[in-house]
């Protein structure tokens, strides 16, 4: 299954992607995570992206496309993937369409996780993630079952993002409304958009998403075989 999660910063895209990965045996392709790795590695791309990300602006389309193009051809994407944070502009959506159609493929579903702007700031400023497996947590809404220990992998090392401060979040929200939200009518017109209530509890959001997706056994892999 080829799934796209769309929504403003802090809507819960990463949280939900993490839950769907195991169920469908497909990877999460998160351009924000990929960029943060480049920044941490000090690569040329990372150095160019760091300043843009600190401002909350979009990194240029060419760099993003170069990063994602080879990624969807890897073996772990054989059964599909979950796009998280990409596409984020009309140019990226067009480039994705071209990339998929050249592989005789297409998105199966686009899920919009809808959340009001006013609660996103508190969500983002309370967020932290496991350094080992990337699972997301929140100081109030989603604490690990055992304090300081990741529920998923047992690691004890957590991280907070440099761009998770109020000023940058407000700028990221403005960029979302200006450049990314206009993609919603485009996917709606293709009949593949489903909107879920992202202000519900995390488990309830997962339930809404699962209800909108085909069951794993009903999906064919790229080579036409039903999934295990
Ligand atoms: P990116 O890393 O993609 O950030 P984002 O889109 O701003 O989204 P977030 O990761 O902040 O939020 P999320 O929706 O995943 O929320 P989460 O699940 O963590 O991008 C960062 C930057 O990289 C961009 O600003 C840009 O500069 C650049 N970039 C990335 N992709 C790009 C592209 N394609 N083109 C150009 N530039 C690009 O949840 C947030 C918190 O809320 C967590 O603590 C979680 O526990 C909690 N939470 C989640 N769901 C709920 C719920 N239902 N109830 C209560 N709490 C909840």
């Amino acid at each position: 299954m080829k799934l796209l999660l769309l929504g403003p910063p802090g809507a819960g895209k990463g949280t939900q992607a993490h839950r769907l990965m195991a169920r469908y045996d497909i990877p999460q392709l998160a351009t924000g995570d990929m960029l943060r790795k480049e920044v941490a590695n000090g690569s040329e791309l990372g150095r160019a992206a760091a300043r843009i990300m600190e401002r909350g602006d979009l990194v240029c389309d060419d760099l993003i496309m170069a990063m994602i193009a080879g990624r969807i051809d890897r073996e772990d994407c054989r059964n599909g993937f979950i796009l998280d944070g990409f596409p984020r502009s009309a140019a990226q959506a067009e480039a994705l369409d071209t990339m998929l159609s050249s592989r005789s493929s297409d998105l199966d579903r686009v899920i919009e996780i809808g959340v009001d702007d006013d609660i996103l700031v508190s969500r983002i400023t309370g967020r932290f993630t496991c350094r080992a497996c990337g699972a997301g947590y929140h100081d109030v809404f989603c604490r690990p079952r055992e304090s300081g220990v990741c529920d998923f992998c047992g690691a004890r090392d957590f991280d907070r993002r440099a761009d998770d401060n109020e000023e940058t979040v407000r700028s990221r929200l403005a960029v979302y409304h200006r450049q990314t939200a206009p993609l919603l009518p485009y996917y709606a017109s293709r009949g593949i958009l489903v909107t879920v209530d992202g202000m519900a509890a995390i488990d309830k959001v997962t339930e809404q998403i699962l209800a909108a997706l085909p069951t794993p056994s009903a999906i064919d892999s790229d080579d036409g075989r039903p999934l295990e």
Side-chain angles (χ1 to χ4, degrees), residues 8 14 51-52 62 71 83 95 138 148-149 177:
R51 285 185 298 275
I52 300 170
D62 291 349
R71 184 62 189 86
L83 294 174
H138 191 278
V149 181
H177 289 298

Side-chain angles (χ1 to χ4, degrees), residues 84-104:
D84 165 1
F86 169 85
R88 250 174 153 104
S89 64
Q92 290 183 16
E94 282 166 26
L96 174 65
D97 285 350
T98 305
M99 197 190 301
L100 291 177
S101 65
S102 72
R103 291 161 175 81
S104 304

Side-chain angles (χ1 to χ4, degrees), residues 8-15 31-33 35-36 52-53 56-59 64 84-86 88 92 123-124 127 136-138 141-142 161 163 172 198 200-202 205:
K13 303 180 296 292
T15 301
T31 43
D33 291 345
L35 288 167
R36 280 183 287 281
I52 300 170
M53 294 170 78
D57 288 335
L58 294 189
V59 174
I64 298 293
D84 165 1
F86 169 85
R88 250 174 153 104
Q92 290 183 16
R123 275 204 193 171
I124 290 185
R127 166 170 57 189
Y137 296 94
H138 191 278
F141 307 128
C142 182
R161 278 168 46 178
D163 60 346
R172 283 157 58 195
I202 293 173
V205 179

Side-chain angles (χ1 to χ4, degrees), residues 5-18 28 30-36 49-61 63-65 67-68 84-89 92 113 115 119-120 122-129 134-143 160-161 163-164 168-169 171-173 175-176 179-180 197-206:
L5 299 181
L6 263 181
K13 303 180 296 292
T15 301
Q16 297 300 329
H18 211 261
Q28 170 201 26
T31 43
D33 291 345
M34 293 176 195
L35 288 167
R36 280 183 287 281
R51 285 185 298 275
I52 300 170
M53 294 170 78
E54 273 162 29
R55 290 199 306 269
D57 288 335
L58 294 189
V59 174
C60 76
D61 293 332
L63 291 181
I64 298 293
M65 294 316 300
M67 230 173 40
I68 208 92
D84 165 1
F86 169 85
R88 250 174 153 104
S89 64
Q92 290 183 16
I113 305 179
V115 180
I119 71 164
L120 292 170
S122 66
R123 275 204 193 171
I124 290 185
T125 51
R127 166 170 57 189
F128 59 100
T129 53
Y137 296 94
H138 191 278
D139 292 327
V140 177
F141 307 128
C142 182
R143 287 193 287 230
R160 289 183 192 259
R161 278 168 46 178
D163 60 346
D164 278 356
T168 309
V169 172
S171 159
R172 283 157 58 195
L173 269 173
V175 169
Y176 173 79
Q179 293 187 256
T180 309
D197 174 13
M199 291 189 287
I202 293 173
D203 287 346
K204 296 288 175 200
V205 179
T206 310

